[in-house]
Amino acid sequence: FGLDGVPPLLLSTSTEATAHLPADEVHEHSLLIGDRPRLPSNGHVHLWRSWVDDLNGNGIIEVSESVERDLSVPESLTDLQGSYGFTLDASRAPLGGWYAFWYDIADQAGNVLQDAGNISAPMSMVQVNQDGAPSVGNDAGASWSVGSPTWLHPSEPVTLSIPLGDGNGLQDLARVTVD
């Protein structure tokens, strides 16, 4: 018998805090956890789907509306790290529907995994939608923070505002280059 004062540590996750995934397929979500002397032997995901679980139709995640599922766990709990996960069939989700989830994982000593989300700040919120290219607004939508951009002084701060759009939200934009 030994003491375990080390909580599980979240090393990585397969899903960003906000994401969009295609409809009509199974979504796989996983997280890599490290712990010693043993990995947690079980865990749960709390899941809320707008098209199934929003019983009162208000679009707000409520405790009574979330469902709890068991997570898959690694085969060897004596390794220093292991992958935990779940799948979600989104084939019946309407385009634009969304779901949120957070985890409840603790090791055998009761040390709880931190940064796993909760009902008010889920680990991830996923929109079910087809991927689309971002769009840049037209010249009429662009604006400068100075009256006339014909002459710009290098020591004066100047802002160029260009409207961007994306049907799935701007969270998947990695870089914007102005040339």
Side-chain angles (χ1 to χ4, degrees):
F1 179 77
L3 296 176
D4 179 5
V6 179
L9 177 65
L10 177 64
L11 301 174
S12 66
T13 179
S14 66
T15 311
E16 298 291 329
T18 57
H20 69 273
L21 294 171
D24 297 333
E25 61 181 55
V26 173
H27 300 171
E28 295 184 13
H29 301 283
S30 64
L31 60 161
L32 186 63
I33 295 175
D35 198 6
R36 58 182 173 85
R38 290 178 50 88
L39 291 168
S41 59
N42 61 39
H44 305 283
V45 61
H46 298 269
L47 179 64
W48 184 89
R49 300 157 295 178
S50 66
W51 65 95
V52 175
D53 302 316
D54 190 11
L55 301 176
N56 58 12
N58 67 356
I60 297 171
I61 303 169
E62 297 178 20
V63 175
S64 62
E65 295 176 335
S66 69
V67 294
E68 184 179 294
R69 292 187 185 172
D70 290 336
L71 292 171
S72 64
V73 299
E75 287 183 30
S76 174
L77 299 179
T78 58
D79 292 342
L80 290 178
Q81 59 187 27
S83 183
Y84 295 73
F86 73 99
T87 59
L88 180 123
D89 181 359
S91 62
R92 293 188 177 171
L95 285 179
W98 61 281
Y99 60 94
F101 58 90
W102 59 97
Y103 297 103
D104 182 16
I105 301 173
D107 63 18
Q108 290 79 351
N111 300 310
V112 177
L113 174 70
Q114 300 298 307
D115 303 321
N118 56 53
I119 192 166
S120 55
M123 178 81 160
S124 295
M125 296 182 74
V126 180
Q127 182 186 41
V128 179
N129 212 341
Q130 302 305 330
D131 198 11
S135 61
V136 177
N138 58 26
D139 288 344
S143 65
W144 292 89
S145 63
V146 295
S148 173
T150 55
W151 185 83
L152 302 174
H153 194 280
S155 68
E156 295 178 7
V158 177
T159 302
L160 171 61
S161 297
I162 302 172
L164 295 175
D166 190 329
N168 303 315
L170 297 174
Q171 73 270 7
D172 61 340
L173 286 179
R175 183 181 73 232
V176 175
T177 305
V178 178
D179 190 6

